[in-house]
Amino acid sequence: MMAEEAILGYLENHDEISDSGQFATDRGLDHNDVVNVIKSLHGFRYIDAQDIKKETLVLTEEGKKYAEKGSPEVQLFLAVPQEGSISKEELQKLLDPAVYKIGCSQAAKNKWVQMGNQISRKVQHVEDRVKDLLLQIQDGQELGKDDNNSLKARKLTALQTWKGYSVKRGPEYAPRRRRTATDLTREHLQGGDWRNIEFKEYNFSAKGPPPESGHLHPLNKVKERIKNIFRLMNFEEMPTNRYVESSFWNFDALFQPQQHPARDSHDTFFLKAPATTKQLPEDYVEMVKRVHESGGYGSRGYGYEWKREEANKNLLRTHTTAISSRMLYALAQHAKQQSFTPKKYFSIDRVFRNEAVDRTHLAEFHQIEGLVCDRGLTLGHLIGVLQDFFSRLGMDKLKFKPAYNPYTEPSMEIFSYHEGLKKWVEIGNSGMFRPEMLRPMGFSEDVNVIAWGLSLERPTMILYGINNIRDLFGHKVDLGLIKKNPLCLIGIK
Ligand code: PHE
């Protein structure tokens, strides 16, 4: 530590270092090193340091160029032939455009050249005073007021603030830093020198290194919060641990006709291997086929020939409603064998759609789904549950708009008033499952199911102020966001 020795050593015989910059230059030290040592010694009160600020004149980028190559007026003058003249166009070709422009006006002002279509010299010899002045400044010399002003007006020089310190001995001054012990060791105790050792004081405000730990993705945080809301409302979680689903559970069981555009490979990812499902509950398949073809339970059905091969096709599930249909089927079976038990179910998991990726769409996203299965449920119950659920998410103002799903009737889109955007935004989809879906499962006529679904990404983006979905999910996500995102505070009601 050359700088430290120099500073402490100097103060042994002198009262003050009046200028850390001068001190560094005199000793061939780097001023930055000197400043760092001063800050540290000041912290331990070996020295008292006072800020000093100085304004120094430095060359601008333009000034530096002229200091090297000469002022534009001299460059221009030298480009004009000694005898005769040169045309404007020719002269312009010889010089940098900025040099030409400034050079013309300054050289004319100095009466060095005769301007016109042809340019000629008016004097034989000129001196580059501007360049000389710039070199003097580079050298650290002081200039007269007029010269300073004219260079400043031409933006060839500028003031720069320089920061340094003046330094005196501090209350803990010593010509050398005392070595303080950080730990009491066995050797200290055995040798007895613990009596004389100076221990380093504890710094209770020092920050320790942050402990390494895992980090939850914002989607996981919001997911956990929403799960808790469902749990508070006494909903049970459905097992969603299957991305691959058969068309049967994803579409047919939901009374979605086989020609429906969503069942096209443009919208749905079908599996190549295994391309088809191994087994389906045959009795139930028969009931589903019948309701699609000819209806029943007061419905006319779709009146087309239902194909088993279509239902067998494996796909990546396009909605978690596929899980809901499996769960409701199981519940209806249970009811047939024993007795009907009302249920409240929810799920939050990933779904896949063959979509063009843009700032609000990805080919995979997460769905939140809730359903209530009970006797005598009405649209009023659905609206009530939605109001309860969304108000726990912080969305109190809801509006509903009639909509269409193959498996619900009536169906409603859900809108919430966004206080930030000052407008109504669509937040989900809902409805009452059709008898064409529930009756073939085996539910009796008086059992209804109200259900709703929404994406997990939408509320997460709103809560975390993210407006491109690719910043939230996928390979472009900044890991910093995952490590530093704040707590998710919704649903504390
Ligand atoms: N499955 C619907 C969707 O993918 C959401 C929904 C669930 C609608 C339940 C109505 C009832 O958008």
Side-chain angles (χ1 to χ4, degrees):
M1 283 302 276
M2 294 231 308
E4 182 169 311
E5 271 169 32
I7 293 167
L8 292 177
Y10 185 87
L11 289 176
E12 221 180 334
N13 315 315
H14 301 82
D15 286 338
E16 188 185 41
I17 297 171
S18 59
D19 177 336
S20 58
Q22 196 56 48
F23 185 80
T25 320
D26 292 349
R27 284 158 189 78
L29 296 169
D30 179 32
H31 189 238
N32 284 329
D33 293 344
V34 171
V35 165
N36 286 338
V37 169
I38 289 175
K39 284 183 185 160
S40 160
L41 289 172
H42 180 79
F44 289 101
R45 307 178 64 194
Y46 281 85
I47 59 172
D48 274 334
Q50 297 283 333
D51 291 357
I52 44 177
K53 275 190 196 162
K54 275 192 282 190
E55 306 257 87
T56 55
L57 208 53
V58 292
L59 300 191
T60 61
E61 285 308 311
E62 193 184 354
K64 281 183 204 159
K65 272 193 223 156
Y66 301 160
E68 195 193 326
K69 294 193 178 147
S71 68
E73 51 269 41
V74 170
Q75 289 188 48
L76 182 117
F77 179 82
L78 294 175
V80 176
Q82 284 186 346
E83 305 285 332
S85 62
I86 183 170
S87 73
K88 260 187 173 177
E89 293 72 28
E90 285 301 314
L91 186 58
Q92 205 162 0
K93 275 188 218 153
L94 296 174
L95 297 166
D96 172 271
V99 170
Y100 172 79
K101 199 170 154 242
I102 304 168
C104 280
S105 75
Q106 292 292 336
K109 205 161 104 193
N110 293 352
K111 303 203 169 65
W112 289 351
V113 292
Q114 181 67 48
M115 298 297 291
N117 278 335
Q118 288 293 119
I119 299 167
S120 57
R121 289 192 182 183
K122 273 171 134 180
V123 294
Q124 275 318 305
H125 183 74
V126 297
E127 269 173 31
D128 201 344
R129 214 174 116 64
V130 169
K131 177 177 171 171
D132 292 344
L133 293 174
L134 293 172
L135 289 173
Q136 284 177 34
I137 288 174
Q138 249 178 358
D139 238 29
Q141 296 177 34
E142 302 262 328
L143 302 184
K145 204 173 159 194
D146 289 348
D147 287 334
N148 267 337
N149 287 344
S150 84
L151 292 181
K152 203 176 143 206
R154 287 181 67 174
K155 296 205 172 65
L156 303 181
T157 60
L159 282 177
Q160 201 176 54
T161 321
W162 175 92
K163 284 189 191 139
Y165 293 94
S166 73
V167 175
K168 288 190 172 138
R169 285 187 289 267
E172 300 290 329
Y173 173 79
R176 258 166 223 294
R177 249 195 231 241
R178 286 177 292 273
R179 292 202 166 268
T180 49
T182 46
D183 286 310
L184 181 62
T185 64
R186 183 187 149 102
E187 286 70 30
H188 291 146
L189 293 171
Q190 281 177 334
D193 54 357
W194 58 270
R195 281 176 226 275
N196 312 317
I197 281 178
E198 192 180 334
F199 285 96
K200 192 171 178 185
E201 277 183 46
Y202 280 116
N203 178 0
F204 291 107
S205 51
K207 286 191 179 125
E212 263 312 309
S213 65
H215 301 273
L216 289 178
H217 189 283
L219 280 175
N220 276 332
K221 292 188 183 178
V222 177
K223 180 172 163 181
E224 199 49 41
R225 284 286 171 173
I226 294 177
K227 277 191 182 188
N228 280 335
I229 290 173
F230 276 117
R231 288 175 187 134
L232 283 172
M233 292 171 71
N234 272 320
F235 281 63
E236 287 172 51
E237 186 166 4
M238 295 185 269
T240 48
N241 50 337
R242 53 163 72 240
Y243 288 161
V244 174
E245 189 53 274
S246 62
S247 292
F248 180 77
W249 291 111
N250 195 84
F251 292 127
D252 296 282
L254 288 158
F255 198 52
Q256 189 139 338
Q258 295 189 324
Q259 311 76 17
H260 193 282
R263 301 183 65 153
D264 196 278
S265 62
H266 292 299
D267 287 314
T268 299
F269 293 113
F270 287 95
L271 259 73
K272 280 194 184 143
T276 54
T277 185
K278 283 210 185 91
Q279 61 175 28
L280 294 171
E282 294 303 329
D283 293 354
Y284 175 49
V285 170
E286 202 45 48
M287 305 289 274
V288 169
K289 173 183 160 79
R290 207 179 303 159
V291 79
H292 277 242
E293 291 188 340
S294 53
Y297 328 103
S299 169
R300 299 202 315 215
Y302 292 118
Y304 71 95
E305 195 190 324
W306 187 85
K307 293 208 176 68
R308 176 64 182 259
E309 307 82 74
E310 215 33 67
N312 282 347
K313 286 184 185 167
N314 277 335
L315 44 73
L316 292 179
R317 68 174 174 225
T318 65
H319 53 185
T320 44
T321 318
I323 300 292
S324 303
S325 65
R326 282 175 175 273
M327 293 299 284
L328 286 170
Y329 171 71
L331 189 63
Q333 292 307 102
H334 177 85
K336 269 205 285 192
Q337 281 142 25
Q338 297 174 33
S339 61
F340 172 69
T341 331
K343 283 285 181 190
K344 297 201 259 186
Y345 283 141
F346 80 94
S347 66
I348 308 178
D349 208 345
R350 198 174 295 190
V351 301
F352 307 84
R353 292 189 192 170
N354 196 355
E355 283 203 79
V357 171
D358 64 24
R359 46 181 286 282
T360 51
H361 293 90
L362 290 178
E364 53 190 303
F365 63 100
H366 297 77
Q367 266 187 342
I368 304 166
E369 183 149 322
L371 68 86
V372 183
C373 177
D374 203 349
R375 292 197 171 92
L377 292 175
T378 64
L379 196 66
H381 290 106
L382 176 58
I383 292 175
V385 176
L386 292 176
Q387 223 113 37
D388 186 8
F389 174 77
F390 283 103
S391 78
R392 290 169 191 259
L393 278 174
M395 301 178 212
D396 289 306
K397 277 194 220 162
L398 297 186
K399 259 194 198 173
F400 305 101
K401 186 177 149 188
Y404 173 78
N405 296 305
Y407 38 91
T408 53
E409 179 61 32
S411 313
M412 305 189 301
E413 275 171 3
I414 311 160
F415 288 80
S416 157
Y417 189 73
H418 193 294
E419 296 293 346
L421 300 174
K422 297 259 175 281
K423 65 173 185 187
W424 292 91
V425 291
E426 198 203 322
I427 48 167
N429 186 2
S430 69
M432 299 188 67
F433 283 143
R434 280 180 168 271
E436 291 97 322
M437 168 180 167
L438 299 179
R439 299 296 300 280
M441 289 176 169
F443 283 115
S444 57
E445 203 183 338
D446 56 344
V447 173
N448 309 104
V449 177
I450 53 180
W452 73 99
L454 62 146
S455 90
L456 175 63
E457 280 75 2
R458 191 73 171 272
T460 305
M461 285 168 73
I462 295 174
L463 282 165
Y464 283 93
I466 296 170
N467 52 37
N468 187 332
I469 198 164
R470 287 166 288 195
D471 294 336
L472 178 69
F473 193 80
H475 65 287
K476 289 193 180 156
V477 170
D478 169 18
L479 278 182
L481 168 88
I482 314 298
K483 290 186 179 166
K484 292 204 209 84
N485 66 74
L487 285 176
C488 160
L489 293 177
I490 49 165
I492 322 250
K493 269 197 190 172

